Amino acid sequence: MSGKGPVEPEEYFRTLLLALGELRGLVEVSWRQLAAQIGVPHTTLESWLRHGKVPDEVDAVKRAAGLLLAAARQHSGASTAAHVARLDQVDWSSAHAAVQSVRGEARSRSARTGRARRAQPHPAGAAVVQGPVVHRAVSSWSARQLRVHAAVPGEGCAGEQEEFALPAYVPREHDVLVRNRLRRLAESGEAALLVLRGGSCTGKTRTAYEAVREVVPAWPLVYPKTAEALVELLAGSPVAARTVVWLDDLHRLLAEPEGEQAAALLRELLEQPGPVAAVATIWPQNYRALVATPYDGQADRHGQARALLSSGWTVDVPESFTGQAWQEFVRRAASDPSLAAVAAANRGGAVTQTLAAGPELLEHWQQAPHAYGKAVLTAAIDARRLGVRAPLPEAFLKQAVTGYLTPRERAEAEPSWFEQALAYARQPIKQVTSALLPVAHPTQMGPLPGVVDVVDYLEQHAGARRWDQVPPATFWDAAYQHLGSGEDLERLALHAFSRSRYRTSRELYLRAGMRGSPDAVEGMCFSYTETGRILTLPGRDEVAALAREANDGGYSLWYVGSTLASIGTEERDQQMCVLAADLLADSYTAGYRDAAFSLAELWESTGLPEEAAQLTEHARQAEVEPAAASGADLVLVQRIREVLEHSAGPHEHGPAKIAAAPGEIRQLARRLARKPSLLPLRWQTRLPDHGYADLTEQLLSALIDSGSQIAVFDLERFLARQGRDEAAASVLTTAAEEGNDRAVAELVSRWCTSRPEEAGKLLEHCRRSGRAQAVVSAVRPLLTRPQPAVRRLAEEHLGQLAQDGSSGAQMVLAVWRLDQWQQSGPVAGSAVPQEILRLLEKASAHQTEARRLLGQHALIAGNATKAEFFYRGAIDGGDYSVLTDLARLLHPDSPDGEAQLVRCGLEADGSARTPW
């Protein structure tokens, strides 16, 4: 059983949509009939229920579900009943809210997902390259060469000359999972991706280093340090069997310009015979951003990366040492100076962070006696947390930093202030690292002049502490002038917009478009739509002009055209519809096929049904099916299809008996994990009915190993139907223990009434292993259950997490108790209980929604000053929608003033922006 990460909300919601689509066929309701009943075009409905595209709004889907379930209850048949049983209890709103939450994280791009391949000072076209990738046995690579963090030496080490200390290794629970997986891979002969997911300095790389040294010490290890080097490695001679491909900080490689090509080649490598172990490390927030599915119709910028990561075996590395691991650590500290230094610090189990001098790095920044050095570090940290991936030009920092200093500090600055600031930022910390690091020259020895990097630990932890701080105007101006990456500028523009700095956002989007960012047009169009600027003639003309300059095969033209078509139709704005039609026509001419269907919908809605029908027919005829792939696994696909399409039973005359080797099954599973439509619907239940139970079980098990989260539940249902209840029960239990959050939620939902003690133990296991989100997701639905004992179970575990400092648990618990208090019918004008307010105040340290609620409460209590404080805090944290609350507060008697603030936004310092 594989140790997979959580089921992505979007994948889960997609399976629900496809199940609704299957139910539609069973109850024999036509697409057009159902679409007319719920009020959407039939093509839109088909994209949801036939192709599994998740819509931005859930109301229409809920209406479709209600109609189909009502029809199904009047319909006979076991298949129909099974669908009703599965879909009848679905909370569509909650499931869709989870999707939107993940989409919001991906859309905001709040954390950097890698370094760009080029530094700004490079001449145009100058590439950052790596020399030939070295092949050496695992045992001959040192920890330092594989980028294991050096440790604080501690007393009794070699002294000042000791450059790299590697303390004794203390295994934890996740080490067993990693090493068992490597052994299984080596024995089975497969090629697989092993992903260690965790924050900076949590021990990911050390875990991987110790695992490969123990399990496969004689295998060759190759370490490509850039996406370009990885492409060159994989596009050259075939990677030999029994090889480790080392992919430390995989998110950085996948975010480089060649990242998608590298991901595609890695996927091809993993489809070949092995054994080959691709061992990767990645940060959690970057993992989520890369695997998030784009909006319906949105360009898929990370399709290959998402497919690659989804097929990997993911193991979460916790931040701290607990239980037996901590006791063993203390025991070994008696004979290891580095460990002894950590034990003496007694920082609550944060072993790896302390070993890597993480606390000292934070102190070097926060308690800096050098004002200019601290300002330089803060500007660099802000750049990283707001999406700048490329190495940071010193010229950018020098201009940006002035806004971080007081007038007196600027007046008293010596001529060499910047050189002194850089020197402070580069000071060695505990002989381990420094806050600002040099960037290796792409083709020569030594550092690349004029640019610097930020150490990982500061990037993640200091950036998290400044999550709700808006940089000064000098920061944005410096970015506009000195950053050369269009992608970096686009991410900065998005962050400026999310903080209601709309004019700043617009300038950065335009600059990003000039620099060739593929997302600049989409981002600017989205921001103009949200603020209403798209309704103005200058606004939409500006976005249209930017779209016409984009060189992306017509995608930007389609995005702007379809947006204007939707708004123009709703507003009955003929001029806007004409511009939309022109853009969509240009998009189709440029090669973007979907534009034809969007244009046809526009024509149909504006009174041209015949022209729309002709265009749709023409576009459909122009579509060409992709060439069929070849391979033994696709021969297996054809055999399975023939069996399922044959009406005869397993013992009657029909297709030839299916015989499949383990390698064919594994290869097919990898394809199915990426493209479930390869096999007919419900093959998991139909194939056993034709006498292929063994093949079904093998394929489902291989699917789990290939990264399919849904296959866990398919295998459990299959085993239950086979009467193997004990094996079925162990499937979800094992998956839950190994990191599948959806399995946790399913088991807790089942056990909360019949086996509450078991449910409690599972939740406690997740809490202690650092999986707070799994606990929150599992117990939140229990709060609405009718049984008091179940609600108490949920509140108990949410309360424990809230005490642990989980802002998510604090927020859920506060909102739940607030709802309960409101439903109790409090006396008009009575104050919200202090217990609820305290929870909201704690959650407000990390949750913008908590700040909004606190602002609303303060306003009700008559404290406008406090309300403004909380509203501004929510906006600065990245929730631009709260600007409407602030505008209403600041302009209670002026609709024009309120509308102007909502449309124009704020200055960098938070003051109202003048009209632009």
Side-chain angles (χ1 to χ4, degrees), residues 665-676:
I665 294 174
R666 286 197 300 271
Q667 195 167 359
L668 173 56
R670 294 191 186 104
R671 291 188 187 269
L672 274 176
R674 300 193 305 270
K675 189 177 181 181

Side-chain angles (χ1 to χ4, degrees), residues 612-873:
Q614 291 175 4
L615 179 59
T616 300
E617 182 61 27
H618 172 75
R620 284 177 176 165
Q621 290 178 357
E623 288 183 331
V624 179
E625 290 295 325
S630 59
D633 58 315
L634 292 182
V635 173
L636 179 57
V637 168
Q638 187 59 35
R639 292 173 183 165
I640 293 174
R641 284 177 174 170
E642 289 174 357
V643 166
L644 296 181
E645 291 168 2
H646 198 275
S647 59
H651 303 296
E652 301 176 36
H653 179 70
K657 190 76 174 176
I658 299 176
E664 292 178 84
I665 294 174
R666 286 197 300 271
Q667 195 167 359
L668 173 56
R670 294 191 186 104
R671 291 188 187 269
L672 274 176
R674 300 193 305 270
K675 189 177 181 181
S677 60
L678 272 177
L679 291 181
L681 290 173
R682 303 191 307 280
W683 64 267
Q684 302 93 328
T685 56
R686 295 165 58 196
L687 198 55
D689 293 341
H690 285 74
Y692 294 101
D694 290 344
L695 176 60
T696 304
E697 182 174 357
Q698 293 170 22
L699 191 48
L700 287 172
S701 297
L703 264 171
I704 294 172
D705 287 344
S706 297
S708 171
Q709 304 297 309
I710 300 302
V712 171
F713 302 93
D714 289 334
L715 179 59
E716 187 229 6
R717 287 191 290 268
F718 163 81
L719 293 171
R721 285 194 298 269
Q722 296 291 311
R724 297 161 60 187
D725 295 337
E726 187 173 335
S730 71
V731 169
L732 287 188
T733 304
T734 303
E737 291 174 349
E738 294 184 347
N740 189 318
D741 289 1
R742 182 70 193 172
V744 173
E746 181 67 26
L747 287 173
V748 169
S749 177
R750 295 181 187 182
W751 291 349
C752 63
T753 53
S754 60
R755 300 163 62 184
E757 290 186 4
E758 292 296 318
K761 288 179 181 178
L762 178 57
L763 291 169
E764 181 63 16
H765 170 77
C766 291
R767 186 179 75 87
R768 290 187 177 279
S769 58
R771 294 165 60 192
Q773 186 54 50
V775 178
V776 173
S777 299
V779 303
R780 180 187 293 173
L782 305 187
L783 293 171
T784 59
R785 292 283 190 93
Q787 302 92 337
V790 173
R791 294 198 299 272
R792 283 196 300 272
L793 175 70
E795 287 197 83
E796 174 188 343
H797 286 278
L798 284 172
Q800 289 175 342
L801 282 177
Q803 290 180 1
D804 292 345
S806 167
S807 61
Q810 291 162 352
M811 190 67 196
V812 170
L813 200 54
V815 171
W816 161 249
R817 290 179 178 171
L818 182 62
D819 288 343
Q820 293 295 102
W821 176 74
Q822 291 172 338
Q823 291 175 17
S824 68
V827 177
S830 58
V832 175
Q834 285 298 311
E835 177 193 11
I836 296 174
L837 292 178
R838 282 194 294 268
L839 278 171
L840 285 174
E841 287 169 357
K842 290 179 180 178
S844 69
H846 301 285
Q847 301 276 341
T848 58
E849 183 58 24
R851 295 181 178 187
R852 184 177 208 162
L853 289 175
L854 286 169
Q856 292 172 350
H857 168 72
L859 194 59
I860 292 172
N863 192 335
T865 301
K866 196 171 185 179
E868 181 179 351
F869 169 80
F870 283 119
Y871 286 157
R872 287 187 179 277

Side-chain angles (χ1 to χ4, degrees), residues 411-431:
E412 295 178 350
E414 299 177 3
S416 61
W417 70 269
F418 186 63
E419 289 72 20
Q420 293 175 21
L422 288 179
Y424 176 82
R426 289 167 168 159
Q427 283 181 12
I429 306 296
K430 303 289 276 188
Q431 307 177 41

